[in-house]
Amino acid sequence: MSKQSMRRFTAIVLGMAAANLFFSCSNDSIIERDATETTLASAGKMNYMASLASIEMNNWMSGLQDNISISKISIPGTHDSGARIDAPVVSGTAKTQNLSIAEQLDAGVRFLDIRCRHIDNSFTIHHGAIYQNLNFDDVLNACYAFLNSHPSETIIMSVKEEYDASNTTRSFEQTFDSYIQKNPSKWDLGAGIPNLGDVRGKIKLLRRFSAGTSKGINATSWADNTTFEINNSEAQLKVQDYYKVTNNDDKWAGISNLLNEAKNNTGNRLFINFTSGYKPGIFGIPSIPTVSNYINPKLKTFFQTNTKGSYGVLPVDFVSAELSELIVKTNF
């Protein structure tokens, strides 16, 4: 082989060796980079899951930013929150919850539907004519104790007059004010829909009773047995409260329609979607479990599938810790 051929051969061999070295290094870099990215992605996912796992249901709002509007949070709630006692003789007509107020709050519930009978210038908790062996002070003491222990949380409380007033010398509003005056720092009575950071550690009033002064979110123009809007200058709401349920599928359609509307809404409208109701039975006697036994499993399935989004407030009959947690997790 000539010297020229030898040089050409050597150049080719060296070139091939260099190319192999280059591609080897490049492949190693690509593999190393991909491995690094996979590791980082896995670490990020693990950190997210760890942060989610670290959020307990009694302080889940601690994982949310201060600047989020309460209208953009999926909030488990209860309908007739204090109604744990049924009517005598005829069951299924008054009881709506198994958990106490304190147990509901510990399970993640952050919307309470409180029905007060005005009697002797104080409030007792009723569902219709049925006294629930509970007074407004009992409800408030449970809420105050919870908020003192979990200052990152807020409670939206709907307050409505229930049944007939008896032996009173002042208005429902005046008696309500007397309760607030005992612990004013625990209440937010603003008329607008606040950001979470402004109401942490407080009860946010949703007012369903008439008042002479601005007091809480004004929901006094509540429509009966339907889906409706309330449009005040300070706050806009949309409510599904179809409670006289003749057909469970129609009830579910109303619930699911508002769930989708809440998720897709870009404004600051507060959605309140009552999953509760009763079905008239023999002689028109209402049955609450006939509705909840059908709706609650559908809610569970919905939130097992729809795991991310802003779905509004969901007041539920016979809420469970499992269902409450499914709703809460859509926020994270």
Side-chain angles (χ1 to χ4, degrees):
M1 183 182 290
S2 67
K3 289 184 179 180
Q4 186 177 2
S5 298
M6 180 63 74
R7 283 197 296 269
R8 186 180 299 115
F9 176 76
T10 303
I12 291 170
V13 171
L14 290 172
M16 290 176 63
N20 284 335
L21 180 61
F22 171 79
F23 284 116
S24 174
C25 290
S26 296
N27 286 338
D28 287 346
S29 297
I30 291 169
I31 292 168
E32 184 179 349
R33 187 184 69 221
D34 286 348
T36 301
E37 288 177 353
T38 301
T39 302
L40 288 173
S42 298
K45 187 174 182 181
M46 289 174 64
N47 286 337
Y48 169 78
M49 296 304 293
S51 66
L52 184 58
S54 68
I55 297 172
E56 301 292 339
M57 286 303 101
N58 60 12
N59 72 341
W60 63 267
M61 286 180 161
S62 65
L64 300 177
Q65 297 294 317
D66 280 346
N67 62 357
I68 188 173
S69 169
I70 62 170
S71 70
K72 295 303 177 190
I73 308 174
S74 301
I75 298 177
T78 45
H79 157 255
D80 259 297
S81 306
R84 299 174 66 208
I85 295 175
D86 224 336
V89 183
V90 185
S91 64
T93 61
K95 181 179 179 179
T96 61
Q97 303 299 332
N98 292 318
L99 303 180
S100 68
I101 299 294
E103 289 168 338
Q104 290 173 32
L105 295 172
D106 280 337
V109 168
R110 296 293 179 270
F111 175 94
L112 298 177
D113 173 25
I114 304 300
R115 313 289 179 98
C116 301
R117 183 187 183 189
H118 195 195
I119 181 169
D120 298 325
N121 288 336
S122 62
F123 291 160
T124 56
I125 306 304
H126 270 242
H127 187 182
I130 308 302
Y131 173 51
Q132 294 299 317
N133 290 356
L134 194 69
N135 299 325
F136 197 43
D137 270 327
D138 300 320
V139 173
L140 295 184
N141 288 338
C143 291
Y144 296 154
F146 176 79
L147 292 172
N148 285 336
S149 299
H150 306 95
S152 62
E153 309 304 286
T154 188
I155 300 166
I156 304 171
M157 185 182 291
S158 168
V159 178
K160 176 181 179 287
E161 184 166 10
E162 188 87 348
Y163 201 53
D164 302 325
S166 175
N167 195 34
T168 59
T169 60
R170 57 187 181 185
S171 68
F172 187 95
E173 179 188 12
Q174 288 171 323
T175 294
F176 176 80
D177 290 344
S178 72
Y179 284 99
I180 303 304
Q181 287 161 7
K182 297 176 187 177
N183 214 333
S185 66
K186 284 298 180 192
W187 287 85
D188 184 291
L189 301 179
I193 297 171
N195 288 340
L196 177 58
D198 297 325
V199 289
R200 291 194 194 272
K202 296 182 180 182
I203 301 171
K204 176 64 187 179
L205 175 65
L206 179 81
R207 177 171 56 84
R208 291 186 62 185
F209 60 88
S210 60
T213 59
S214 177
K215 191 177 275 101
I217 298 172
N218 184 356
T220 53
S221 57
W222 201 273
D224 187 57
N225 194 40
T226 189
T227 298
F228 60 94
E229 291 183 0
I230 295 176
N231 293 304
N232 305 319
S233 58
E234 301 91 349
Q236 290 75 51
L237 293 79
K238 188 160 187 178
V239 180
Q240 182 280 122
D241 190 20
Y242 166 44
Y243 64 89
K244 297 175 186 176
V245 180
T246 54
N247 184 296
N248 278 331
D249 287 328
D250 290 345
K251 174 64 175 178
W252 176 247
I255 294 168
S256 57
N257 286 341
L258 204 67
L259 285 170
N260 290 325
E261 188 174 343
K263 183 180 181 182
N264 294 323
N265 184 262
T266 57
N268 197 33
R269 185 178 294 275
L270 181 64
F271 289 83
I272 305 176
N273 198 350
F274 280 82
T275 71
S276 52
Y278 69 81
K279 197 167 187 178
I282 300 172
F283 308 117
I285 296 171
S287 172
I288 295 167
T290 299
V291 177
S292 61
N293 287 344
Y294 179 87
I295 296 296
N296 286 12
K298 282 188 168 292
L299 285 170
K300 179 181 173 182
T301 300
F302 179 90
F303 286 111
Q304 285 172 333
T305 305
N306 299 273
T307 57
K308 177 74 174 174
S310 172
Y311 292 101
V313 178
L314 288 127
V316 178
D317 276 344
F318 303 108
V319 75
S320 66
E322 180 186 17
L323 179 54
S324 178
E325 184 173 6
L326 286 170
I327 296 169
V328 165
K329 283 187 174 180
T330 65
N331 294 298
F332 299 97

